[in-house]
Structures are given as C-alpha cells and as structure tokens.
C-alpha cells in the first residue's frame, strides 16, 4: 500500500539557520509529490510539487525540494529560515486516477529568534 | 475569487446529533475532496467527487455521507455524531488533471461531546 513517512515530528531551528525536512514514500512507480504548509488555524497552502523533469524543484517562500528516486525521498530545504516559517509541513503523494492525496503525519517547525 | 470556503468554522455537537459541513468552491473545479485531520496523523481522505452526481469513498468514510448536486458545492453529512469524529475537517478542490494542485478551505473544527 502507498504510504508517506515524515520521520521528524518536531524540529526546532534558530532564525537564519538552514532547514531540511525529510519525506520518504512507498509507491510502485514515480508518484506526484507535494509539500504543503499549514500555519496555525489555517488551511493548507502548496509550497511546491514534482512529477517529472529536473529533480530539484523550487517553490514559494524560498523553499526547494529534491527528488531522489533511489532513496524514495523528497526532502524539503530552505537555506535560511525566517520566524514566519514556523508552521506544520506536510509531504503528500498523489496516486491513482482521481488525484487523491496521501499525506504524511506532518513535521511541526519551531523557529527560535 | 474566494477559492474554497467552508462553514461553520467551529461547532460543538452532542453524541447522536447530526450536522452538515458545507463546502463551496468558485473555481469551476471538477474534483472535490473531504479530509479529516487528527493530531499527529496527517490528513485522511473521507470522500471525493469527480463531478456533479459522482462521489466515491476514500480511506475513512464510515459515519459520513456526501452528495454533489452542483459543481460548486460538496457538503459532508454526519448522521449520528460520535466522539471519534472530533477532528478538523478540510475540503479541497482541483481541476482534476493528475498532479494538479489541490486548493484547501480553511477548515471546520468539530468537537463531539
């Protein structure tokens, strides 16, 4: 069965430090991969997505993610974190013919000044 | 352009009561989805629809019903509320092509006591 794993439940970084959030998926083929961000009390906003082509994709708010087929991973990175990046981040996989999403459990990011 | 709207924002139900969570999108999207979000669990798909009059079950459909009479609206019905249905409910929509971004509403927080 398809699944998405985000190994880190909570991550705390200092403002200005670099960030990497991990995501691994289990799927029979190359899936469509997404990163969403959820600010407190808000809905989900798309940061970036990948389904083909260049394995390094750029998103909004200075985020990027790299698809590694050999590791079944799609890790999210940001070179310098801002306090406003504190939120919960979800990795998701789209499968099947109806664009359904399977989400990871999420990683909650805290940013220290 | 309001995107995806959900009402109510918050509701408290007693066990056994029923209610309908409303979802409307103004983007003329064909596909619509209902997810529930429980702490530490990510989002789980409840039901989805690929067009007016067409709905299907997702991963966790028990205790819920849906209908889709128009392109814009996709209400979620809880017939006999149970404490296990305490959650945050998100509606989403997309045009339908594989890999397209899903746009999420702000969510409805439901507490069943």
């Amino acid at each position: 069965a398809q699944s998405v794993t985000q190994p880190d439940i909570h991550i705390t970084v200092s403002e200005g430090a670099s960030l990497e959030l991990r995501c691994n998926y289990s799927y029979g083929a190359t899936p469509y991969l997404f990163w969403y961000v959820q600010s407190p009390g808000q809905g989900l906003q798309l940061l970036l997505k990948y389904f083909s082509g260049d394995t390094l994709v750029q998103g909004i708010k200075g985020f990027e993610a790299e698809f590694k087929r050999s590791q079944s991973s799609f890790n999210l990175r940001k070179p310098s974190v801002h306090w406003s990046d504190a939120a919960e981040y979800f990795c998701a996989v789209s499968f099947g013919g109806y664009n359904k999403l399977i989400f990871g459990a999420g990683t909650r990011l805290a940013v220290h000044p | 352009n309001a995107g995806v709207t959900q009402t109510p924002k918050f509701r408290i139900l007693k066990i056994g009561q029923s209610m309908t969570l409303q979802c409307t999108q103004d983007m003329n999207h064909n596909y619509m989805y209902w997810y529930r979000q429980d702490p530490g669990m990510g989002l789980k798909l409840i039901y989805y629809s690929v067009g007016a009059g067409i709905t299907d079950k997702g991963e966790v459909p028990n205790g819920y019903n849906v209908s889709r009479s128009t392109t814009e609206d996709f209400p979620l019905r809880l017939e006999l509320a149970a404490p296990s249905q305490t959650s945050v409910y998100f509606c989403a929509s997309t045009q339908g092509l594989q890999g397209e971004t899903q746009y999420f509403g702000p969510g409805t927080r439901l507490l069943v006591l």
Side-chain angles (χ1 to χ4, degrees), chain A residues 80-100:
Chain A
S80 177
V81 170
H82 187 263
W83 64 266
S84 61
D85 293 325
E88 189 152 21
Y89 293 80
F90 293 94
C91 181
V93 168
S94 174
F95 69 99
Y98 301 113
N99 222 6
K100 295 178 285 186

Side-chain angles (χ1 to χ4, degrees), chain A residues 6-19:
Chain A
Q6 294 181 245
D8 305 304
I9 299 174
H10 294 281
I11 285 183
T12 300
V13 299
S14 297
E15 191 169 17
S18 63
L19 173 69

Side-chain angles (χ1 to χ4, degrees), chain B residues 5 13 26-27 33 43 48 54 56 60 70-71 89 92 95 99:
Chain B
T5 57
L13 280 183
D26 63 0
M27 297 174 282
Y33 311 83
L43 281 75
Y48 66 100
I54 307 171
D56 204 352
V60 289
T70 67
T71 299
Y89 292 84
Q95 184 58 39

